[in-house]
């Protein structure tokens, strides 16, 4: 009996400690999902040749990609543009600099590789204005690029054309800002379409909600809905929603929930989150987290009693965010641009949605390009896909 009491005295605290440790791990994982991400350095600058205007970076699946990209740096230059890969070995890549770096400039080793390319709307050399959109979260800043004054979708006068009456509203992804969307402005401008590039709650530009956490599209779509209303009050008759990464989840939620659903003409989704469960399981595996931890974290975010412990402001319904399961509710044409080598948001759910709704979804094949870098990797194919699809949508 004495030995039994001793065993209980040892084992019970150990089990409680184990359970407490597991609970901490679950809620920590959940918090990482909904906490707005801070840009992290993912490469190192090994050398800069100011004479040849080249830069050497540690080799990663992103830094070795062909095409044009950006690089967030520290020191004299905050953001520089990168061109073609000139050489590579197992450890490093050497790329052409498209931003002039002067002799004596201080550039630290730590850097973050980016697909944005354009960091400011002024770099597009197109007319634009900053507007504020009144959303349930508060005033959300946006950039409005008006339609060109002299060209519509068919090269005729833009005023009153189907193109100029159809606005594009672009929404960025998780842990980024509006600048991510700037790559998409010129193609729609060339088609004679106004483009509104919007922000949403907790993205660092729009107002912060009380808890300051993401709802993975479950709440953010209301800010996009407010942007749709703004466009309709300012001359739009229809809108095309373009979402990048988590912005795709936001656009999909708006397409089924918006009070302006009848005015949504179509969706363009670049590297979209179509089903969060698929994405979070993939990212957990990449981070070395094994089941059942990812599943338990999603359960924690789904339950009203535990959502706040997991960092969410309210319970998140992953069923509602699963647009493959809700495919029958979709009603407008959708163009999905997704690399099969995405590396961050797997393309499985995008393919599943295309298979579920072949009557609505157009999904050209892309590979190699990685996450939200299709424009950078293959601008010609990316532009052609959007131009062909949009021209069919809005007509001549």
């Amino acid at each position: 009996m004495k030995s039994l009491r001793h065993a209980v005295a040892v084992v019970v605290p150990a089990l409680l400690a184990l359970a407490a440790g597991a609970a901490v791990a679950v809620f920590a994982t959940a918090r990482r999902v909904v906490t707005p991400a801070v840009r992290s350095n993912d490469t190192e600058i090994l050398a800069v040749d100011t004479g040849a205007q080249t830069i050497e970076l540690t080799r990663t699946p992103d830094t070795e990609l062909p095409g044009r990209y950006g690089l967030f740096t520290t020191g004299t230059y905050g953001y520089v543009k990168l061109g073609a890969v000139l050489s590579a070995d197992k450890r490093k890549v050497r790329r052409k600099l498209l931003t002039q770096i002067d002799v004596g400039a201080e550039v630290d080793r730590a850097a973050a590789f980016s697909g944005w390319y354009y960091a400011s709307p002024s770099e597009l050399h197109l007319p634009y204005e900053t507007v504020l959109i009144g959303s349930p979260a508060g005033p959300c800043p946006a950039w409005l690029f008006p339609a060109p004054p002299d060209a519509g979708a068919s090269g005729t006068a833009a005023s009153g054309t189907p193109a100029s009456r159809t606005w594009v509203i672009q929404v960025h992804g998780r842990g980024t800002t509006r600048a991510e969307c700037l790559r998409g402005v010129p193609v729609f401008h060339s088609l004679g379409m106004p483009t509104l590039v919007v922000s949403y709650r907790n993205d660092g530009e729009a107002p912060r909600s009380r808890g300051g956490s993401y709802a993975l599209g479950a709440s953010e779509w209301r800010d996009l809905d407010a942007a749709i209303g703004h466009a309709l009050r300012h001359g739009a008759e229809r809108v095309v929603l373009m979402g990048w990464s988590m912005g795709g989840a936001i656009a999909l939620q708006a397409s089924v929930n918006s009070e302006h659903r009848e005015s949504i003409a179509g969706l363009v989704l670049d590297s979209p989150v179509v089903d969060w469960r698929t994405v979070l399981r993939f990212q957990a595996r990449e981070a070395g987290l094994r089941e059942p931890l990812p599943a338990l974290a999603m359960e924690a975010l789904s339950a009203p009693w535990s959502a706040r412990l997991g960092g969410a402001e309210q319970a998140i319904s992953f069923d509602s965010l699963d647009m493959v399961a809700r495919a029958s509710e979709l009603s407008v044409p959708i163009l999905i641009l997704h690399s099969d080598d995405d590396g961050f948001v797997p393309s499985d759910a995008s393919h599943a949605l295309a298979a579920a709704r072949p009557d609505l979804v157009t999904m050209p094949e892309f590979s190699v390009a990685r996450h939200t870098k299709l424009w950078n990797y293959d601008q010609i194919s990316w532009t052609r896909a959007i131009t062909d699809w949009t021209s069919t949508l809005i007509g001549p």
Side-chain angles (χ1 to χ4, degrees):
M1 192 69 176
K2 185 176 181 180
S3 61
L4 178 60
R5 287 198 300 269
H6 176 72
V8 170
V10 172
V11 172
V12 170
L15 290 175
L16 291 174
L18 182 63
V24 168
V26 167
F27 290 123
T29 301
R31 284 183 177 276
R32 282 197 292 271
V33 172
V34 298
T35 299
V38 177
R39 183 187 304 113
S40 59
N41 296 319
D42 55 12
T43 188
E44 288 188 10
I45 298 173
L46 302 178
V48 175
D49 187 332
T50 55
Q53 287 298 299
T54 61
I55 188 169
E56 288 186 359
L57 306 171
T58 52
R59 184 169 185 171
T60 70
D62 284 322
T63 62
E64 68 184 9
L65 288 171
R68 297 183 296 163
Y69 300 88
L71 190 72
F72 289 97
T73 71
T74 54
T76 305
Y77 295 85
Y79 188 78
V80 298
K81 292 183 172 65
L82 308 178
V85 174
L86 303 176
S87 64
D89 59 28
K90 292 182 178 180
R91 189 178 69 89
K92 63 182 183 296
V93 297
R94 183 168 64 95
R95 305 189 72 114
K96 183 64 179 175
L97 278 167
L98 301 181
T99 298
Q100 178 82 19
I101 293 185
D102 299 325
V103 176
E106 294 182 7
V107 181
D108 295 338
R109 288 177 64 91
F113 196 77
S114 169
W116 291 12
Y117 192 71
Y118 300 109
S120 165
S122 61
E123 296 173 20
L124 297 179
H125 303 291
L126 296 173
Y128 76 95
E129 61 178 302
T130 298
V131 299
L132 288 176
I133 295 171
S135 84
C140 296
W143 293 315
L144 173 61
F145 295 84
D150 57 352
S154 59
T156 58
S159 178
T161 65
S164 65
R165 297 194 301 267
T166 304
W167 287 32
V168 178
I169 303 178
Q170 290 200 63
V171 55
H172 65 82
R174 182 180 187 273
T176 67
T177 63
R178 287 174 289 162
E180 178 179 46
C181 305
L182 291 173
R183 291 165 287 176
V185 173
V187 62
F188 294 112
H189 188 80
S190 71
L191 292 168
M193 304 171 74
T195 300
L196 191 63
V197 182
V198 303
S199 58
Y200 54 82
R201 64 191 68 187
N202 302 317
D203 69 356
E205 294 184 327
R208 183 182 186 275
S209 64
R210 179 175 298 178
S213 61
Y214 288 137
L216 309 181
S219 297
E220 294 86 352
W221 72 265
R222 299 182 187 279
D223 303 327
L224 178 55
D225 192 35
I228 298 172
H230 177 94
L232 295 174
R233 291 191 300 273
H234 289 81
E237 294 182 1
R238 301 191 303 166
V239 298
V240 171
L241 305 181
M242 181 172 187
W244 301 71
S245 192
M246 188 176 92
I250 296 171
L252 284 163
Q253 288 299 302
S255 74
V256 295
N257 293 316
S258 171
E259 65 180 43
H260 307 294
R261 283 186 65 180
E262 293 183 358
S263 299
I264 298 174
L267 307 177
V268 178
L269 307 177
D270 189 305
S271 312
V273 175
V274 176
D275 169 29
W276 273 107
R277 290 191 183 100
T278 302
V279 174
L280 296 178
R281 289 190 182 105
F282 173 84
Q283 293 180 358
R285 288 195 301 271
E286 291 293 297
L289 301 177
R290 297 183 177 182
E291 292 290 359
L293 190 57
L296 292 172
M298 285 185 275
E299 287 297 324
L301 292 171
S302 301
W305 68 270
S306 57
R308 290 199 175 187
L309 292 174
E313 296 179 39
Q314 56 188 8
I316 297 173
S317 171
F318 286 92
D319 287 340
S320 297
L321 296 174
D322 182 351
M323 293 311 300
V324 176
R326 299 181 66 186
S328 62
E329 299 177 46
L330 297 169
S331 59
V332 298
I334 301 171
L335 174 64
I336 298 180
L337 307 168
H338 207 152
S339 173
D340 287 329
D341 302 294
D342 185 289
F344 190 71
V345 174
S347 62
D348 305 53
S350 291
H351 283 292
L353 182 59
R357 293 303 305 266
D359 56 321
L360 294 181
V361 177
T362 300
M363 187 175 177
E365 292 186 8
F366 285 96
S367 61
V368 182
R370 307 283 291 172
H371 187 58
T372 64
K373 296 180 178 68
L374 291 160
W375 177 93
N376 312 78
Y377 175 74
D378 189 352
Q379 184 178 351
I380 292 175
S381 297
W382 185 91
T383 301
R384 183 187 301 120
I386 292 178
T387 300
D388 292 348
W389 180 88
T390 306
S391 297
T392 301
L393 186 73
I394 62 178

